[in-house]
Amino acid sequence: GEDVEQSLFLSVREGDSSVINCTYTDSSSTYLYWYKQEPGAGLQLLTYIFSNMDMKQDQRLTVLLNKKDKHLSLRIADTQTGDSAIYFCALLRSNTGKLIFGQGTTLQVKP
Amino acid sequence: GAGVSQTPSNKVTEKGKYVELRCDPISGHTALYWYRQSLGQGPEFLIYFQGTGAADDSGLPNDRFFAVRPEGSVSTLKIQRTERGDSAVYLCASSLTRDTDTQYFGPGTRLTVL
């Protein structure tokens, strides 16, 4: 199967860290992505990680990949109200151009 | 530079009608993808073009859906005999050359079938 699962909702206070989690079943994925979607807008690429990496840091964003547990997470440090959006993890199925998306996590940031 | 553009941004049609949705990829990108996003869900893959040819159309739900990319740039997604269940946001993405390159998404076309 190609299941990608995410929790549906996360609420944090401004300035706190946010951690958005994703689990998947297909272990052959080569690239794993995080996209952000604001209301009425398309998908904005935030960051990605190769499947042979464990961690990637990009400014306020940290991606952790646990291949053994098939678990991907996105940590946003010092979360701001402008970070409020839906966050999707997506896996690139190897040898295809097909991205498999989770159902998205709505991040609510309270001032 | 310009990103992926899609037209129209919104399309309202009646059940049974034919619609065309257009995608302009990032200039120079040879790979182009169509996805469909239903309300409250993540995008689902429809079709992938490499140049003018469809490299993978396994996501097209049935033969009412068809897509073309005749000159290897602009693509059109065509839906015949639309049904209410076709209502969704149709997203287009492009990537530089190969299926392993990062996909950049357009703003989408919101299709509503009455």
Side-chain angles (χ1 to χ4, degrees):
Chain A
E2 300 176 337
D3 289 333
V4 179
E5 299 285 337
Q6 297 179 240
S7 52
L8 294 182
F9 186 78
L10 176 66
S11 180
V12 301
R13 293 220 170 267
E14 191 173 20
D16 289 349
S17 292
S18 307
V19 179
I20 301 171
N21 295 299
C22 175
T23 58
Y24 57 93
T25 56
D26 184 359
S27 58
S28 68
S29 300
T30 52
Y31 294 74
L32 301 96
Y33 297 86
W34 285 102
Y35 284 88
K36 175 183 179 182
Q37 188 174 43
E38 295 179 274
L43 294 166
Q44 174 194 351
L45 176 68
L46 286 178
T47 187
Y48 65 92
I49 190 168
F50 299 127
S51 59
N52 62 358
M53 297 170 64
D54 298 323
M55 186 183 88
K56 180 179 180 181
Q57 188 151 3
D58 184 359
Q59 300 182 336
R60 291 191 299 124
L61 306 178
T62 303
V63 179
L64 294 177
L65 175 61
N66 182 329
K67 290 183 288 295
K68 176 175 173 291
D69 294 340
K70 297 180 185 175
H71 182 268
L72 180 73
S73 68
L74 173 70
R75 178 177 180 270
I76 306 172
D78 187 26
T79 313
Q80 303 296 306
T81 54
D83 295 324
S84 293
I86 302 175
Y87 291 79
F88 292 94
C89 69
L91 279 58
L92 182 67
R93 193 142 183 246
S94 60
N95 300 318
T96 77
K98 191 185 296 189
L99 281 175
I100 310 300
F101 285 85
Q103 67 268 54
T105 299
T106 298
L107 175 64
Q108 179 189 67
V109 183
K110 297 180 181 177
Chain B
V4 178
S5 62
Q6 294 186 244
T7 54
S9 55
N10 280 285
K11 176 71 177 177
V12 180
T13 191
E14 293 179 343
K15 181 174 176 296
K17 299 289 189 182
Y18 168 83
V19 296
E20 290 188 351
L21 312 179
R22 176 188 166 110
C23 172
D24 269 283
I26 294 171
S27 178
H29 280 195
T30 62
L32 184 146
Y33 314 79
W34 285 98
Y35 292 82
R36 178 168 72 173
Q37 186 176 20
S38 299
L39 191 64
Q41 301 296 317
E44 292 180 309
F45 171 84
L46 295 177
I47 187 169
Y48 155 45
F49 285 91
Q50 186 58 259
T52 59
D56 184 350
D57 64 357
S58 62
L60 294 177
N62 51 59
D63 61 7
R64 294 188 298 106
F65 288 74
F66 189 70
V68 295
R69 194 185 185 201
E71 297 177 359
S73 178
V74 170
S75 176
T76 305
L77 179 64
K78 308 180 181 195
I79 310 174
Q80 298 177 320
R81 304 184 303 280
T82 52
E83 300 178 355
R84 292 196 180 88
D86 299 334
S87 296
V89 176
Y90 289 82
L91 295 165
C92 177
S94 69
S95 67
L96 186 58
T97 54
R98 305 168 301 159
D99 54 26
T100 52
D101 291 326
T102 298
Q103 296 180 28
Y104 296 92
F105 283 80
T109 294
R110 181 175 298 278
L111 175 66
T112 303
V113 182
L114 300 176

